[in-house]
Amino acid sequence: MSMIRDLRAAVRPSLRPSLRKPPTVTSPYANYDATRDPSASSAVVDCAVYRDGRRVDDRACLTPRGAMRQVQESGGFAWIGLHEPTEAEFAGIAAEFGLHPLAVEDAVHAHQRPKLERYDDTIFTVFKTIHYVEHAELTATSEVVETGEVMCFTGPDFVITVRHGGQGSLRNLRHRLQGEPELLGKGPSAVLHAIADHVVDGYIAVADAVELDIDQIEIDVFSPPAKGSTRGTDTGRIYQLKREVLEFKRAVTPLLRPMQLLSERPMRLVDPDIQKYFRDVADHLARVQEQVVAFDELLNSILQANLAQATVTQNEDMRKITSWAAIIAVPTAVCGVYGMNFDHMPELEWKYGYPMVLVGITAICFAIHRTLKRNGWL
């Protein structure tokens, strides 16, 4: 490794770290830019070396190159976190850790489906993060879930996480792990498990929130409609929620196979003790996947029920219109007959002919109205 490092330094002299002595600071994390080498990425949000489960407070560990050098000299593993790096920003790190170009391309461009791939001594894992978007009322244009991505490169002595999107920060997760040195001492696979567990726990929370939205939709659909409201508004809300559930499903379902591999198949980079914990993550993920599939099927049923209700409402309206048309046909027919201006027509010369015709029209219309109402048409 030292020969390769010397050769890289000779070929790329512009990437050598500055020899200027950094300013003296009280915190090992202060003035981070002053200690970074030119190859360090501006997308790096945190970089540290962990030895025996504890973070090494050394200024040299604040850059990816320095962290790797510390690992090679003293052992432990490096954990580097990046947020939406560009190709240029990620190129130096990829070369330093020997990451496969295909995995690097996926990590930079994002929009990948959840998966697990092995490249020599590196495991490349893609997770879809899900965030529930709070809303006062679900509408036909409401955003219910927001997605992001976390890519994880796991090697024998390093973990590199690449995050895309505004959600799914791993800062709190890192702090929590630093408080559990026994777990973190298991190496990079412990970090991979913690990330998987963190993502799946997020799925569980989102599934519970989406279930409440579906319950509310179900209540609204099967409750009597408010005066002046139409079932069409419910249809738009149901369809929008179904689209959001579909996006949720695309994040959860493809992750089942990678979690099964991590929990069942022995891997050289995964500590046997940590593999047992992956089984728990896979079980939680399977439960969420079943929930999401049930949500999709339930929304299908609710949508069909809502459309059926709309059809019934339309049929009722058509029956009412037909009933009133039948009633109005009686005076229309009688008045049409007496408006033909023939000389010889019944009761034209009778004194009470006009009021009797009106009474006859009213009586017939009343009889028709009563019959239609008795049959449920009015």
Side-chain angles (χ1 to χ4, degrees):
M1 289 298 293
S2 61
M3 293 177 63
I4 295 175
R5 189 163 56 252
D6 293 340
L7 180 60
R8 184 184 293 117
V11 175
R12 299 188 300 170
S14 60
L15 299 181
R16 292 175 181 171
S18 173
L19 297 179
R20 181 173 59 88
K21 184 177 180 180
T24 303
V25 292
T26 56
S27 171
Y29 308 106
N31 291 335
Y32 174 70
D33 291 338
T35 62
R36 292 170 59 187
D37 61 356
S39 67
S41 169
S42 61
V44 175
V45 294
D46 203 348
C47 179
V49 171
Y50 297 89
R51 192 176 298 122
D52 297 327
R54 302 187 182 279
R55 182 164 182 155
V56 178
D57 290 334
D58 191 328
R59 294 181 59 79
C61 301
L62 296 179
T63 63
R65 177 175 296 175
M68 193 61 184
R69 189 170 296 144
Q70 281 283 331
V71 170
Q72 293 170 350
E73 294 176 355
S74 305
F77 71 94
W79 182 1
I80 303 168
L82 301 96
H83 181 246
E84 296 183 353
T86 63
E87 291 184 11
E89 291 172 334
F90 200 35
I93 295 177
E96 186 73 32
F97 290 88
L99 305 181
H100 196 278
L102 292 177
V104 171
E105 182 181 0
D106 290 345
V108 171
H109 294 100
H111 303 294
Q112 306 295 318
R113 70 193 302 270
K115 61 182 179 179
L116 183 147
E117 295 177 342
R118 283 174 287 184
Y119 297 98
D120 299 328
D121 289 337
T122 304
I123 296 177
F124 177 60
T125 316
V126 178
F127 300 95
K128 283 278 190 182
T129 58
I130 298 291
H131 170 70
Y132 180 77
V133 180
E134 296 289 344
H135 46 267
E137 181 181 359
L138 182 65
T139 66
T141 58
S142 295
E143 185 180 14
V144 179
V145 296
E146 183 180 7
T147 62
E149 293 181 42
V150 174
M151 285 83 162
C152 186
F153 295 87
T154 308
D157 51 9
F158 67 86
V159 176
I160 301 174
T161 55
V162 181
R163 184 169 59 89
H164 290 268
Q167 306 297 331
S169 174
L170 302 177
R171 184 184 303 274
N172 293 335
L173 175 65
R174 185 188 286 261
H175 291 165
R176 180 174 63 82
L177 282 176
Q178 290 174 173
E180 302 178 14
E182 293 183 0
L183 180 61
L184 201 56
K186 297 292 184 179
S189 59
V191 177
L192 178 61
H193 163 264
I195 294 173
D197 188 53
H198 173 72
V199 171
V200 174
D201 284 347
Y203 292 167
I204 295 174
V206 173
D208 293 339
V210 170
E211 186 175 13
L212 295 177
D213 284 336
I214 295 177
D215 290 342
Q216 185 61 49
I217 283 285
E218 192 173 15
I219 292 173
D220 293 343
V221 167
F222 291 101
S223 297
K227 187 177 182 180
S229 67
T230 60
R231 290 295 179 184
T233 56
D234 288 335
T235 302
R237 295 164 61 205
I238 297 169
Y239 186 71
Q240 176 64 17
L241 186 55
K242 182 173 174 59
R243 289 184 60 185
E244 297 295 304
V245 168
L246 180 61
E247 187 173 1
F248 192 6
K249 186 177 180 180
R250 288 172 180 167
V252 173
T253 302
L255 191 59
L256 283 172
R257 182 57 179 166
M259 288 299 101
Q260 289 174 353
L261 291 175
L262 289 171
S263 61
E264 298 173 359
R265 182 174 299 179
M267 295 186 183
R268 190 156 45 88
L269 296 175
V270 178
D271 188 281
D273 293 334
I274 296 298
Q275 191 169 34
K276 300 175 184 177
Y277 291 95
F278 276 113
R279 296 174 190 169
D280 184 63
V281 177
D283 180 65
H284 290 171
L285 182 64
R287 181 167 63 88
V288 174
Q289 194 265 347
E290 292 174 358
Q291 279 185 284
V292 175
V293 171
F295 291 163
D296 191 31
E297 295 175 352
L298 180 58
L299 285 172
N300 282 335
S301 301
I302 294 174
L303 183 60
Q304 292 174 1
N306 185 68
L307 293 176
Q309 287 180 340
T311 302
V312 170
T313 302
Q314 291 175 354
N315 291 338
E316 290 177 353
D317 293 340
M318 288 301 300
R319 287 197 302 179
K320 290 179 181 179
I321 294 173
T322 304
S323 300
W324 285 112
I327 294 174
I328 295 173
V330 174
T332 302
V334 175
C335 295
V337 170
Y338 276 92
M340 290 189 293
N341 297 323
F342 288 107
D343 289 337
H344 302 286
M345 294 185 69
E347 313 303 339
L348 285 180
E349 302 297 332
W350 188 35
K351 179 179 179 181
Y352 300 104
Y354 178 69
M356 284 301 297
V357 169
L358 294 181
V359 170
I361 291 173
T362 303
I364 295 173
C365 291
F366 177 77
I368 294 174
H369 180 275
R370 186 171 184 180
T371 301
L372 293 174
K373 191 169 184 178
R374 186 185 301 116
N375 293 332
W377 283 55
L378 288 174

